[in-house]
Amino acid sequence: MERWQQVARAAGLVGADGVVRPTVFAEMSALAVATGAINLGQGFPDTDGPAHVREAAVDALRSGRNQYPPGGGEPLLRAAIATHQARYYGTDLDPATQVLVTTGATEAIAASLLALVGPGEEVLTLEPFYDAYAGVLAMTGARHVTVPLLPQEGRFALDVERLRSAVGPATRMILLNTPHNPTGTVLTDDELAAVAALAVERDLLVVTDEVYEHLVFDGVRHVPVATLPGMAGRTLTVSSAGKSLSLTGWKVGWVTGPAALVSAVRTVQQYLTYASGAPFQPAVAAALADDDGRTELWLRDLAASLAQRRDLLVGGLRSAGFDVVVPQGTYFVVADGAPLGFDEGVELCRRLPELAGVVAVPVSAFCRAGSTADRALRSRVRFTFVKRAELLAEAADRLGRLAG
Ligand SMILES: *Cc1c(COP(=O)(O)O)cnc(C)c1O
C-alpha cells in the first residue's frame, strides 16, 4: 500500500469497496449548499476577528511586508507569543529558541510529529480526536493508539486507568487536546495531573493542542499541561490565532517548548512551508503583545458571547429531544440522536437537512471504525455554535420540527 493510501485509510476515507471518499465534512458542507440548510457542521466563525488586528495586517501589506518572513517567524511575533504565554500561564520562554511560528496549528502538529515519532513507535491520543491527527500519524508511520473520552456525570471524561494501561514499551508520545474538539470538554486538574504523572513515569513526550485555550466558559480555567511539575522539558504546546481571534483563514500558528524539541520541529518545518503569512505575522504580534489590553477584552467578550450562543443552541437541541452534554470549552456541542430514534449519527446527519434544515457532523468522523469510543458514541453528532445568534435562533427553531 502506498503512503497516501495508508493516510486515507487511517483517516477513515476508504469505503468497504476500497474507494477513497471525500471527508464527511466535505459531504455535509455540500449537502448544506445543495439543500440551503444552516451549516452547523464546519466550525468557523461567520463574523470577523478584531478590526484593529485586521487593520494592522492592511498596514503591513501596504508597507511592503510581502516577502518571505524570517524562518521560524518574525522576531516580534515570537516575542509576543512568549509574552502571551507569560501573561496567561506564567511560563518563561526564550523567544529565540523556545518559540516557533508555523502555518497554523496544523503545521505545528504535523512538523512536531514528523520530527519526533516514526515506525515502531506508538502515539496515544484521546478518542474522538481531531481528524488531522490520524492522517499525520499515518504519514509518520507511527502507530496510533487511543483512549476514549466518554460521557460521565455531565461531561466527557478521561478514564485515567485506561490511559495508564494504554501505555506500553513502544509508547513515545501523548498527543493531547484540551479544550477538546469535538466534545468541548476541558480536562480537569486531576486528569491533567494523571497525564503528567504518566508522562514523567514512562518518560514520554507530550504534544498538546490548545487552539481553544481562550474559549472556555462558566469560570472553567484552561491549564496548559506544560505548566505541571516535570512537564516543561518534555512538552510542546501548540496554538494559533485562528480560533482565539476568529481569523481561521490566516493560518498563523505556533509551537513553544524546550529549545531542543523546538529546534527539532524547526528542522522539519524548514522543509515543509519554511515560512508563511508575512503581513499577518506583525498583525498577530500586535494582538498577542496586547500593549493596550484590547485583545484581552476582545477575548473576554468572545468567550462570554460564545457561552450565550452555546446556551441558545443547547436549549434548541434539548427542546427538539436531543440528549446534550454541555461543553465547557471550544465552540462545539455534542448531541445524542438516540432519544429521537436515530442510532446512527451518520444517518441522522444525512437526513437532518431534509427533516430540519440544519447540517451537523457525526462524531464517528472523529473516531476509528469499531473502536470503544466509536461504538459508545455512534448516535452522537456535533454542532457548532460559532455562528451569529440570529442564525442559531433560526436553527433552534427549525430543530423544533423534530419534536413534533
Ligand atoms: C481548528 C483546529 C486546528 C487547526 O488549527 P489551524 O490554526 O487552523 O491550523 C487544530 N486542532 C484543533 C483541535 C482544531 O479544532
Side-chain angles (χ1 to χ4, degrees):
M1 211 193 315
E2 291 184 62
R3 190 65 103 187
W4 72 269
Q5 290 166 314
Q6 291 170 17
V7 170
R9 205 166 286 275
L13 302 183
V14 182
D17 51 6
V19 175
V20 177
R21 296 172 274 114
T23 66
V24 142
F25 306 96
E27 180 191 342
M28 293 305 158
S29 287
L31 200 54
V33 171
T35 60
I38 297 174
N39 191 352
L40 303 184
Q42 262 188 335
F44 59 87
D46 60 353
T47 48
D48 256 334
H52 72 282
V53 181
R54 287 182 284 126
E55 284 309 316
V58 172
D59 290 346
L61 271 164
R62 293 217 165 103
S63 62
R65 307 284 288 271
N66 299 303
Q67 308 310 324
Y68 294 127
E74 287 287 353
L76 265 182
L77 176 53
R78 296 195 349 223
I81 292 163
T83 300
H84 171 274
Q85 297 305 101
R87 177 182 301 132
Y88 287 96
Y89 311 119
T91 314
D92 186 21
L93 297 166
D94 173 6
T97 59
Q98 298 189 270
V99 178
L100 182 71
V101 176
T102 56
T103 304
T106 304
E107 189 194 36
I109 294 161
S112 298
L113 297 179
L114 287 165
L116 298 168
V117 299
E121 296 179 318
E122 292 180 1
V123 174
L124 228 69
T125 75
L126 307 172
E127 186 176 8
F129 48 80
Y130 185 59
D131 58 331
Y133 300 168
V136 174
L137 280 172
M139 292 184 216
T140 69
R143 205 165 85 86
H144 183 184
V145 177
T146 68
V147 183
L149 267 185
L150 300 176
Q152 199 186 357
E153 290 163 23
R155 61 183 286 275
F156 280 86
L158 173 62
D159 182 335
V160 169
E161 277 320 304
R162 257 191 137 117
L163 173 72
R164 192 159 268 283
S165 54
V167 175
T171 309
R172 172 94 173 108
M173 177 191 286
I174 299 175
L175 170 53
L176 207 61
N177 172 214
T178 182
H180 182 261
N181 177 8
T183 64
T185 212
V186 181
L187 294 184
T188 62
D189 290 350
D190 286 348
E191 287 167 338
L192 286 175
V195 171
L198 192 59
V200 169
E201 183 186 315
R202 308 298 292 264
D203 195 21
L204 307 177
L205 297 171
V206 173
V207 172
T208 172
D209 177 348
E210 304 186 355
V211 297
Y212 296 101
E213 60 186 317
H214 291 294
L215 310 187
V216 290
F217 321 124
D218 311 329
V220 167
R221 217 162 47 98
H222 166 69
V223 177
V225 71
T227 61
L228 272 65
M231 294 306 288
R234 63 177 72 251
T235 305
L236 285 166
T237 303
V238 171
S239 193
S240 109
K243 308 294 161 55
S244 296
L245 297 172
S246 297
L247 297 167
T248 60
W250 284 18
K251 296 295 277 191
V252 176
W254 52 87
V255 49
T256 61
L261 293 181
V262 169
S263 162
V265 179
R266 185 170 175 176
T267 302
V268 168
Q269 188 218 19
Q270 284 181 112
Y271 305 112
L272 291 175
T273 60
Y274 173 63
S276 66
F280 302 127
Q281 290 199 23
V284 174
L288 294 182
D290 198 20
D291 293 334
D292 54 12
R294 267 193 285 185
T295 306
E296 191 175 344
L297 276 181
W298 195 88
L299 288 170
R300 211 175 296 161
D301 286 350
L302 175 63
S305 119
L306 276 174
Q308 283 176 359
R309 289 182 272 167
R310 171 199 64 180
D311 294 344
L312 181 57
L313 182 61
V314 166
L317 288 167
R318 284 187 167 152
S319 307
F322 286 97
D323 217 352
V324 180
V325 178
V326 180
Q328 306 140 308
T330 78
Y331 41 53
F332 301 110
V333 55
V334 168
D336 192 352
L340 287 162
F342 289 94
D343 292 331
E344 297 284 329
V346 187
E347 218 19 66
L348 173 58
C349 288
R350 290 197 173 119
R351 297 209 41 214
L352 207 51
E354 138 222 348
L355 294 173
V358 172
V359 163
V361 292
V363 169
S364 59
F366 304 87
C367 294
R368 202 155 336 118
S371 70
T372 303
D374 184 49
R375 278 180 279 120
L377 304 175
R378 256 207 108 68
S379 57
R380 314 239 173 184
V381 300
R382 189 195 76 174
F383 295 85
T384 184
F385 48 90
V386 73
K387 303 294 175 190
R388 281 167 293 121
E390 307 84 75
L391 196 69
L392 292 173
E394 169 68 21
D397 203 49
R398 292 186 183 187
L399 287 164
R401 292 179 207 162
L402 292 169

